[in-house]
């Protein structure tokens, strides 16, 4: 016996099939247009000049690149594992400033009140004396057209600044640069004044809750200023550094990011063009002395970032005796091993103090 509900169920089922089929109609267009334009991401400070094409490819494989002015630089700022700031002590800035968004996190400069007006000065880490100066107003005219949207400005007034003079300086800077991206290096007694003005604070001596300026022992010829923060175990962790003349060396001192050579040096190697030399240079080589490296190549030697001339065979023996050399880059222990090697090389480079790095 057929149920009276069967015809009704049949109609509902048929309607459901037709409804689903209608929703499944293919309404896709025959052709698509890209929603966004995609281009290759080449760092802005890198040169695209044809004369550097082959050399650029060799350098890129080492996490390096060459700028239009012939300077070899890190391929990107993340390689340093700390913010790199350009230290301004003169008005003739490198040509790649203004296209530095992939290299520098901002700028650092020292200022002093001279004859009633603020000057940018060239001084040592202790602000002992300065031998050159120019008006802060001149800096703003030079820097303003070349500053990038995310740049931070770190300003250190002279240590004996008064509260009144500091207030005037902050007001002057507020009229030129955004407050939210400007920070002042001052002693603890001025901390409240700086923060109430809306600026970020950097202490001129060690403090637990803020960045602080490192002492002279923690700097080097390349890292002209260093900024640290204390971690939960009270160890100093490098967070930023200022460099001008040697940004590549300064970055390498923070973290040895240069990839190992793709080829092993051999006396049988004949080609000594710059790209070939770059392919065999050890990771601690001075890549801003490529002409000298090319000359030394023929004698089986290379120039380190410390200025030492070493034999390739010496470097290879050190590598052969290292457990790091037996690890693949994909191995979880590889980066840890390389970082520990960097700890040793940092001690050798500075010959002053070794900052212990925590974690992996």
């Amino acid at each position: 016996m057929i149920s009276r509900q069967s015809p009704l169920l049949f109609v509902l089922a048929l309607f459901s099939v037709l409804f689903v089929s209608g929703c499944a109609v293919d309404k896709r267009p025959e052709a698509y247009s890209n929603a966004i334009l995609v281009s290759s991401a080449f760092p802005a400070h890198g040169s695209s000049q044809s004369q550097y094409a082959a050399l650029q490819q060799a350098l890129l494989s080492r996490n390096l690149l060459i700028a239009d002015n012939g300077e070899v630089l890190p391929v990107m700022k993340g390689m340093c594992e700390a913010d790199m700031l350009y230290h301004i002590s003169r008005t003739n800035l490198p040509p790649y400033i203004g296209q530095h968004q992939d290299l520098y996190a901002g700028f650092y400069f020292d200022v002093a009140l001279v004859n009633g007006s603020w000057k940018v000065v060239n001084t040592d880490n202790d602000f002992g004396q300065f031998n050159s100066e120019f008006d802060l107003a001149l800096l703003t005219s030079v820097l303003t057209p070349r500053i990038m949207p995310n740049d931070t400005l770190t300003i250190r007034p002279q240590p004996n600044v008064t509260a009144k003079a500091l207030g005037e300086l902050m007001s002057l800077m507020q009229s030129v640069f955004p407050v939210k991206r400007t920070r002042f290096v001052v002693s603890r007694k001025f901390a409240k004044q700086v923060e109430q003005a809306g600026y970020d604070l950097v202490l001129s001596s060690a403090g637990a809750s803020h960045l602080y300026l490192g002492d002279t022992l923690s700097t080097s010829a390349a890292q002209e200023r260093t900024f640290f923060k204390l971690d939960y175990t009270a160890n100093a962790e490098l967070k930023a550094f200022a460099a001008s003349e040697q940004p590549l060396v300064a970055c390498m001192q923070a973290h040895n990011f240069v990839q190992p050579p793709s080829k092993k040096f051999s006396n049988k190697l004949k080609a000594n063009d710059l790209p070939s030399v770059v392919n065999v240079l050890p990771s601690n080589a001075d890549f801003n002395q490529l002409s000298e490296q090319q000359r030394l190549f023929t004698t089986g030697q290379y120039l380190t970032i410390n200025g030492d001339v070493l034999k390739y065979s010496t470097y290879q023996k050190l590598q052969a005796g290292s457990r790091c050399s037996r690890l693949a880059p994909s191995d979880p222990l590889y980066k840890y091993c390389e970082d520990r090697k960097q700890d040793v090389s940092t001690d050798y480079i500075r010959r002053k103090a070794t900052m212990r790095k925590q974690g992996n």
Side-chain angles (χ1 to χ4, degrees), residues 35-271:
I36 58 173
L37 295 176
V38 179
S39 59
S40 59
F42 184 72
H45 57 286
S47 176
S48 57
Q49 295 182 24
S50 58
Q51 62 175 321
Y52 293 135
L55 178 59
Q56 193 74 283
Q57 288 301 312
L59 288 168
L60 287 171
S61 69
R62 308 296 303 275
N63 285 341
L64 303 167
L65 55 69
I66 191 168
D68 282 336
N69 67 338
E71 186 175 359
V72 177
L73 300 164
V75 72
M76 62 181 62
K77 56 190 174 186
M79 299 294 179
C80 310
E81 296 195 349
D83 286 341
M84 182 161 63
L85 310 173
Y86 181 76
H87 182 188
I88 301 175
S89 58
R90 58 187 187 277
T91 55
N92 54 329
L93 305 179
Y96 49 80
I97 295 296
Q99 296 179 314
H100 61 269
Q101 62 265 34
D102 300 314
L103 181 63
Y104 289 104
F107 300 91
Y108 168 91
F109 50 93
D110 302 300
V111 295
L113 197 57
V114 181
N115 297 325
S117 63
W118 286 103
K119 306 281 188 180
V120 177
V121 296
N122 183 17
T123 183
D124 56 17
N125 191 66
D126 296 322
F127 220 111
Q129 59 182 2
F130 46 86
N131 53 26
S132 64
E133 58 190 50
F134 59 90
D135 287 337
L136 185 57
L138 178 58
L139 171 64
T140 60
S141 66
V142 171
L143 188 58
T144 300
R146 304 171 76 175
I147 200 165
M148 305 303 297
N150 294 321
D151 283 340
T152 60
L153 296 180
T154 302
I155 306 167
R156 183 179 66 151
Q158 61 200 84
N160 61 346
V161 67
T162 64
K164 180 182 178 181
L166 177 60
E168 292 172 350
L169 174 62
M170 289 191 293
S171 297
L172 175 61
M173 294 305 301
Q174 185 175 8
S175 65
V176 181
F177 298 113
V179 174
K180 65 179 181 180
R181 297 200 309 275
T182 304
R183 54 194 183 188
F184 286 86
V185 183
V186 295
S187 61
R188 194 177 300 276
K189 66 179 180 180
F190 293 122
K192 188 175 181 180
Q193 181 182 359
V194 170
E195 293 182 324
Q196 285 182 340
Y199 291 100
D200 286 337
L201 172 67
V202 178
L203 293 175
S204 56
S205 58
S209 57
H210 294 88
L211 283 179
Y212 66 89
L213 178 69
D215 60 23
T216 299
L217 287 177
S218 65
T219 65
S220 68
Q223 290 183 357
E224 298 158 10
R225 303 288 186 272
T226 52
F227 299 92
F228 298 90
K229 192 168 186 181
L230 298 180
D231 64 15
Y232 66 95
T233 58
N235 282 298
E237 183 180 1
L238 179 66
K239 288 294 186 179
F241 57 88
S244 59
E245 298 295 332
Q246 304 179 73
L248 175 58
V249 175
C251 188
M252 291 175 68
Q253 288 179 354
H255 175 63
N256 190 3
F257 64 92
V258 180
Q259 286 291 309
S262 59
K263 294 184 179 179
K264 185 177 180 179
F265 176 84
S266 169
N267 291 326
K268 296 180 180 179
L269 291 174
K270 300 298 182 182

